[in-house]
Amino acid sequence: DKKGRCWWGTNEGITIYNPSVEKEKALQNISKLGDLPVNSVRAMVADNTGNIWIGTWGGKLVMYDIEKEKFVINQQINDATYSHISSIATDKQGKLWIGTPEGITVYDVSNRSIKTYRTVDGLSSNDVTCIFPDSKGNVWIGTKQNGITKFSDGKFTVYDKSKGLSYLAISCITENKHGDIWIGTEGGGVFLFHSNSFSNFKTKDGLNSDFIILLNVDENNNLWIGSNNGLNKFDYSTNVISAYSKFDGFTGIETKNNATFKDKEQNIWFGTVNGVFK
């Protein structure tokens, strides 16, 4: 967050790590998220003011006021949003995009207006798995079984097999420094969207697994790929894929969705079923 702390969402609430205090007090566990009925966290994002928005699986959404250090429920959003939150993102205008298995809710923090989007509005599917706003102002929306929808200038464009995206179960999306879009899938490996066409990389190319869970691009434009079978690094300049396992210090093996970020020092953090790795 803007105070330099790291936030991890878990099935039992939130853990906040403060690296600026002594080790014995560095970790704070929060099991009750304000007045929400559940504490199973699936997604978190900071808005333009620094407040943290937290999506849960079954309890909708809660905001953590970073200055007042307390949880606040926005009833307006929760009245318009399905109970199970799969992803949250903020676009270049500061709008909050909330993905669920029943479509998307978009909240404009500046004027408190709300819009909802479903297949009738142009989504390829209502079952949203991930949302990624790119550097150009587009919002990329991954779905469980129906590919990707791009929202640009108020219009939706669907990317599926007819557009060259041969595997449609989307798990994660990110962007490199050249503006290319990387896409992770649940069984089809990684896709690169470049010059309006898709390239595919799978285990035959060096990935540990085709079941991709997280993607992150570092300062050197390398793509870090988390899967259900460890971690890979894709060197964009050479097209070389490196693998990392317990012999390299990465004992997490199975990474977790929505569980990677870069801190202010450009370190990359990975969430796994066995804890957190930096």
Side-chain angles (χ1 to χ4, degrees), residues 145-156:
Q145 293 291 341
N146 288 79
I148 290 174
T149 310
K150 183 179 75 172
F151 183 82
S152 180
D153 296 325
K155 297 181 180 180
F156 289 104

Side-chain angles (χ1 to χ4, degrees), residues 187-190 200-212 227-229 232 241:
V190 175
N200 188 208
F201 302 89
K202 305 181 74 172
T203 52
K204 63 181 178 61
D205 303 298
L207 294 183
N208 290 343
S209 170
D210 290 331
F211 196 100
I212 310 303
S227 72
N228 65 340
N229 193 35
N232 291 106
I241 297 177

Side-chain angles (χ1 to χ4, degrees), residues 115-210:
K115 289 185 178 180
T116 58
Y117 296 113
R118 293 172 58 84
T119 53
V120 294
D121 303 296
L123 288 181
S124 62
S125 168
N126 291 327
D127 196 350
V128 174
T129 54
C130 56
I131 301 174
F132 180 77
D134 69 17
S135 61
K136 302 179 183 68
N138 306 310
V139 179
W140 298 77
I141 303 158
T143 67
K144 192 72 174 176
Q145 293 291 341
N146 288 79
I148 290 174
T149 310
K150 183 179 75 172
F151 183 82
S152 180
D153 296 325
K155 297 181 180 180
F156 289 104
T157 302
V158 174
Y159 293 89
D160 53 19
K161 291 182 179 180
S162 67
K163 297 285 183 65
L165 183 62
S166 59
Y167 201 88
L168 304 182
I170 310 300
S171 56
C172 46
I173 303 171
T174 194
E175 179 183 18
N176 68 14
K177 292 186 174 183
H178 300 303
D180 301 319
I181 300 298
W182 288 99
I183 300 155
T185 70
E186 295 183 344
V190 175
F191 286 84
L192 170 64
F193 185 69
H194 172 76
S195 298
N196 211 34
S197 64
F198 291 95
S199 302
N200 188 208
F201 302 89
K202 305 181 74 172
T203 52
K204 63 181 178 61
D205 303 298
L207 294 183
N208 290 343
S209 170
D210 290 331

Side-chain angles (χ1 to χ4, degrees), residues 9 24 35 56 64 84 171 209 213 263:
E24 292 75 14
D35 293 328
T56 68
Y64 187 82
H84 292 63
S171 56
S209 170
I213 301 172
D263 63 22

Side-chain angles (χ1 to χ4, degrees), residues 228-278:
N228 65 340
N229 193 35
L231 191 66
N232 291 106
K233 183 179 75 172
F234 184 99
D235 188 320
Y236 189 76
S237 62
T238 62
N239 280 359
V240 173
I241 297 177
S242 304
Y244 296 89
S245 67
K246 62 182 180 180
F247 300 106
D248 306 291
F250 186 77
T251 57
I253 305 302
E254 184 176 350
T255 55
K256 298 295 288 181
N257 198 16
N258 296 317
T260 178
F261 69 96
K262 281 181 288 189
D263 63 22
K264 293 178 180 178
E265 287 74 39
Q266 302 304 319
N267 299 309
I268 300 182
W269 296 74
F270 301 98
T272 77
V273 295
N274 291 335
V276 177
F277 293 80
K278 182 175 75 169

